[in-house]
Amino acid sequence: MESPKSPLQPPTYGNIITVLSIDGGGIRGIIPGTILAFLEAELQKLDGEEVRLADYFDIISGTSTGGLVTAMLTAPDENSRPLFAAKDIKDFYLDHCPKIFPQVSSPFPQTTKIMKALSGPKYDGKYLHNVTKEKLGSIKLHQTLTNVAIPTFDIKKLQPTIFSSYEVKNKPSLDALLSDICIATSAAPTYLPAHSFETKDPDGKVREFNLIDGGVAANNPTLIAIGEVMKQIMKGSSDFFAIKQMDYDVFTQASADMVDYHLSVVFQALNSEKNYLRIQDDTLTGVVSSVDVATKQNLEDLVKVGENLLKKPVARVNLETGLVEPSDQETNEQALQRLAKLLSNEKRLRAATIFRWNEVAAAVS
């Protein structure tokens, strides 16, 4: 299998490990799509119009609709560049969500809702299957342009299944079509049907998957991404710095809020709290908080939510109270601009370091 083709050199050539994590939430994927478009635009101001988010992150992890966004950002086109720019995500949701989640009018909406819940998933998922397979085609997990980790949940085995490009070399049965992975991680219970498919490893051994929404396993997939990185470090991968066992923490199970709390503890303990930026809106109510109300008005309102979120102050976990509190230091927009500079500098440092190493190797030979 080919390795990821990202121009980003391994972390050993730089100072930090870069992680992008994208939550689930159905049509609310428009919100991170709006925020990521802003970040990518800031990176383009620094490094040129051709750069993409996949050029800057060692791993991108997404669950449910975040898994779909992850695939869009990392799937290669015919030129081995990302199939989608971050700015394309918003239009993808605006164009396709009304067909993925068709709104059916009824004189008795509550009764209809109850009857649908009793009869099976609210939507048949056919349009989602078709558009995902059309866009991602025959692209497989090992072909992503940077490392990805997309969680799902196997309803037969009753345990999480994580599709990790780090692990696919050792576990070739994980090398599924990206379209199948996206359909599976997006299959939110009661909304969309479970997704079943098979893979075949090089020895011809068949593996069966029966999967639903990755949010069942990890609605905040940040911990999934960090866990995959830690596995590589513990295996002694040359791409990562060697660390002592006491230099890190690994948490195996936690709710979305506790994941944020634990990670805040870790980053504060490492005196690098500003390197951890989590942008979310916990105040959504009514229609905009829904997963599937894909009306034109609601989709446009979600775009506004994302745009307004950029203007809000950065929020961090207060370790004494456990509450998420706004910070007076900077807005999310300002934090993303700072982060863009950090990512750009890290990418340039890694490129310069490997260039110097190559020069030394050439001189020695």
Side-chain angles (χ1 to χ4, degrees), residues 141 148-152 161-165 173-174 176 181 197 209 211:
L141 177 62
V148 302
I150 301 177
T152 63
T161 298
I162 300 171
F163 289 91
S164 165
S165 54
S173 63
L174 290 176
I181 297 171
F197 61 91
F209 296 93
L211 306 173

Side-chain angles (χ1 to χ4, degrees), residues 34-53 56 86-87 277 310-311 332-345 348:
T34 302
I35 291 167
L36 292 174
F38 178 84
L39 175 58
E40 190 168 88
E42 290 300 310
L43 289 166
Q44 290 170 342
K45 290 177 185 178
L46 296 169
D47 296 332
E49 288 294 321
E50 74 284 354
V51 301
R52 298 289 183 265
L53 291 176
Y56 294 87
K87 66 181 180 181
L277 175 64
L310 288 169
K311 305 298 182 183
N332 287 318
E333 186 175 76
Q334 292 169 330
L336 285 168
Q337 289 169 334
R338 174 177 54 79
L339 179 62
K341 292 177 182 177
L342 177 68
L343 291 168
S344 176
N345 290 338
R348 293 181 187 188

